[in-house]
């Protein structure tokens, strides 16, 4: 694709001024600034990237409106180089869609309904009464339980498990190894034996939810475990039974939610966070990576918390500073303190 | 099922007084208090539930013996409403068992022995010399390695891996994505290269053990990794090589045990706990969520610990309180302290 | 195998003096000291093992050169009993290699190239244009995406996913449930909606890398996620997009690396460590288990750090000691402090 074509397309579909430099230059792919060559597109946002831009061998750069193009090179100006890049990738690296159709090795249960243009990969196992709407893709080796409902244009990557009766909205993406709908962890100690509280609830996952590789979402004991529209979940995350997660929530890798946790819209949860039973994370709250939220705790709307137990970020930082200061003071006052401490 | 039939069955098999109210009312399923409608059964234990009970639209409630049924509604009294609910679920939502039989797409290795009533799902792969006892279910796409032994009435959910020679007891439940018997993590640095210490030990899993989705139990280097009868393990848990876990232990999600850890009977381990090599968690000890137990540390029988390094809960809370107090004191004494700290 | 044969083989291939005792004794397998019987080989290194050695019923022991063999038993002396044991295991428990050949149920895409002696298990799905070099093993139920390249003598255990275009070196081991090449977690909030930044980069994994069960390595957004030769990664680890991990790095279970993290050669990273975006862990640095490294932080070469935020181990221990001392002091000074704290 030539630079002038790309610039024209960005002007038409996104937001960009036209190009400067060699409009006939051929661009074949996108690359990071430091690795890009003469046939590659790259982008410059701010800070470190600005400095790297001068040395980059990229054939064309997406640059901010006020970029000092000196010495002049082939660039496309835009108010949002990163967003323009995301757009350009769609054009230069179009997503490779699998062919529609059901692979001959796939197994479909009785009463399964498969919409127009659906692709079902090799070795996939689709249960009885499953409904898969138009344009969805079920990857190789995935197992979809009885009576599951899958919306339109979903992508279920290979080797994913969806247990019986789970409901997925439209354009849901499940990465490989996800397990959606396993039993919640509910046991009661009776006469010295843990008896299982049967887990017979449901799961509802909204539109445009994306869930990372090897993450687990447990079905409800009673009632429902739900994830709202537009929420994005990273790899190896655990969502316990009866959690209710709102819309446009972000949850980074390896975070775990115990049972009955409520997370409201637009909350942002870092990686390796732990949230206790029935805690409530209100709208637009931010949980720093590694935080631990206690059982039944409420994190207020918009609050930024960190640490274990999770507390307002400022408070957490102050406590760290106080401890650091005391430790340094002690060290300077008592020369012998070091050797005593070494046994700690 | 009518209320009077349900009450009669609970009297006969569990423990309940008879019903009050409309014995002919038809009950079709179980639901949480807040979602239940006129054909639903729900239960009331204590605290918050008591308050919600008045507003619930449930057709019938399981209530404590001393429940003030005013204004009167249809209830069944019992000393343990939660336990009665677990019982009622078995009746109203009977577990759907897969049909016995071996799916024609499944592959069985030479010498595999399959007991009466066993179900093997589509695409399952069963190795040479595997023994599966009566009534067990192997889910779609699971891979069972050579010479594995599986006891009676086990449920191996879809897409589970059991490596060669692992031994499972009776009524074991493995959720989807589990990996039982991968190599332990044993490497020795020799001349600048990590050489693998071959992992040739075994795994023995007792009766009625349940292991959550995407959890991993590594085989022993030498000897055995063992999990005792009745132990329950949640999702995404890591059990390292040569761990010896006792009976009726509970381990919540995302906890990790390094190599050679011993956990004694009835210990309770929270979520996201980390336990160092060769630590010993004695009987009925409780590890709070997020704790970190150091290598070779012993947590004494019945002790409740928290924090990293894990220490007695009271001590941990006292230290937190002291730090909080110092930080507040400093803030009140030195008005400039805040701005200094902001750089921390 | 007789003791004298084993000793001869160790002299020839590793390093050992000859045996003492009964050279005709038959040894059949390896076992830990405490479980070994008269046909078992075991080894004695130091400390606790030395004490156990006297009571062991092992038929033969690998012992240090200076081992006081009193009362005398059948031993083989060596400067490295543990290393000799690893060697002996290869002889007594030879790895069972699957038969070369492609199982009739496996599905190969157009243009796949399979080298000499490759084994592809039942239900494996190999994409278009995949290249698998000589001697590699693809386990049952694994899914290998289009245009993946797999080097020589790799072991891809059952039920592993490798997404399209990933490149693996020689002798790579992937344990069951691994997901290599899923999309990185890159979303940008645009008008209240998280839009996906397309993840079109690559993954390159070097020679002799081993990755544990259910671990995830995400592909780069642009450019490459790379793991250097000889690096060993445990179970349930998350490697984010665009991480660059050096050679001979060790990463223990459940650790997570955010996007763009750089880890240099010979770094050692404990379990459940969290590393923020674009942090840099320099050569031979050591991160204690459970540490949290902040975004963009640099851990210097050879430094040993612990805690959250990760700081030099000595500093971390000093701070813990100071806090402990303050807490104890307060308790002794103020008898009422305990009851006040109980509300913390």
């Amino acid at each position: 694709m030539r630079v002038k074509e790309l610039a024209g397309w960005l002007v038409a579909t996104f937001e960009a001024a036209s190009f400067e430099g060699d409009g006939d230059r051929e661009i074949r792919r996108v690359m990071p600034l430091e690795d890009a060559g003469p046939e590659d597109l790259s982008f410059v946002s701010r800070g470190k990237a600005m400095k790297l831009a001068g040395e980059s061998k990229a054939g064309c750069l997406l640059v901010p409106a006020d970029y000092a193009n000196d010495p002049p090179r082939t660039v496309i100006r835009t108010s949002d180089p990163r967003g323009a890049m995301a757009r350009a990738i769609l054009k230069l690296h179009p997503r490779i869609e699998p062919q529609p159709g059901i692979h001959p090795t796939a197994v479909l249960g009785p009463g399964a309904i498969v919409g127009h243009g659906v692709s079902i990969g090799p070795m996939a196992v689709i249960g009885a009464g499953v409904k898969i709407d138009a344009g969805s893709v079920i990857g190789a080796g995935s197992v979809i339980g009885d009576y599951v409902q899958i919306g339109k244009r979903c992508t279920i990557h290979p080797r994913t498990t969806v247990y019986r009766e789970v409901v997925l909205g439209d354009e849901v993406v499940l990465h490989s190894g996800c397990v959606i709908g396993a039993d919640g962890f509910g046991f009661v100690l009776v006469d010295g034996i843990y008896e299982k509280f049967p887990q017979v609830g449901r799961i509802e996952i909204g539109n445009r939810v994306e869930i990372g590789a090897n993450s687990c979402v447990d079905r409800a004991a009673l009632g429902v475990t739900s994830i709202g529209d537009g929420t994005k979940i990273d790899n190896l995350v655990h969502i316990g039974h009866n959690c209710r997660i709102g819309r446009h929530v972000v949850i980074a890798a390896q975070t775990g939610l115990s049972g009955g946790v409520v997370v409201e819209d637009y909350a942002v949860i870092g990686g390796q966070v732990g949230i206790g039973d029935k805690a409530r994370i209100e709208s637009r709250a931010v949980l720093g990576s590694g935080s631990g939220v206690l059982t039944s705790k409420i994190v207020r709307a918009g609050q930024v918390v960190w640490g274990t137990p999770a507390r307002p970020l400022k408070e957490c930082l102050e406590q760290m500073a106080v401890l650091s200061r005391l430790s340094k003071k002690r060290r300077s006052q008592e020369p012998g303190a070091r050797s005593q401490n070494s046994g700690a």
Side-chain angles (χ1 to χ4, degrees), chain A residues 250-262:
Chain A
V250 169
I251 304 179
Q254 296 178 318
T255 282
L257 279 63
S258 304
V261 169
V262 174

Side-chain angles (χ1 to χ4, degrees), chain A residues 5 16 40 78 90 109 119 124 140 158 171 206 232 264 270 273-274 307-308 314 324 333:
Chain A
E5 291 164 348
D40 298 338
T78 164
L90 299 178
S119 166
E171 297 177 32
K232 310 296 182 187
E264 295 182 0
V273 171
T308 301
K314 178 170 281 187
S324 170
Q333 286 175 344

Side-chain angles (χ1 to χ4, degrees), chain A residues 17-75:
Chain A
S18 196
F19 66 93
E20 294 169 22
D22 179 4
D24 289 317
R25 187 184 282 260
E26 193 69 27
I27 295 298
R28 295 192 195 282
R29 54 176 195 172
V30 295
M31 283 296 275
L33 269 180
E34 53 272 41
D35 302 329
E39 298 194 320
D40 298 338
L41 176 73
S42 199
F43 78 105
V44 177
S45 43
R46 63 212 140 71
K48 200 172 140 200
M50 278 289 201
K51 232 167 50 190
L52 284 170
E55 298 152 27
S56 175
K57 298 191 172 59
C60 177
L61 293 178
L62 298 168
V63 299
D66 60 352
Y67 181 74
N69 192 16
D70 178 29
R73 52 191 301 168
T74 301
V75 301

Side-chain angles (χ1 to χ4, degrees), chain A residues 117-156:
Chain A
V118 163
S119 166
I120 299 182
M123 312 295 170
V125 178
I126 313 294
V130 168
K131 188 163 169 293
I132 305 175
D133 290 347
S136 283
V137 175
I138 312 294
S142 285
V143 178
I144 310 296
D146 295 347
Y147 305 105
V148 165
Q149 295 176 41
I150 298 178
K152 300 190 188 79
R153 295 178 301 284
C154 290
T155 302
I156 313 298

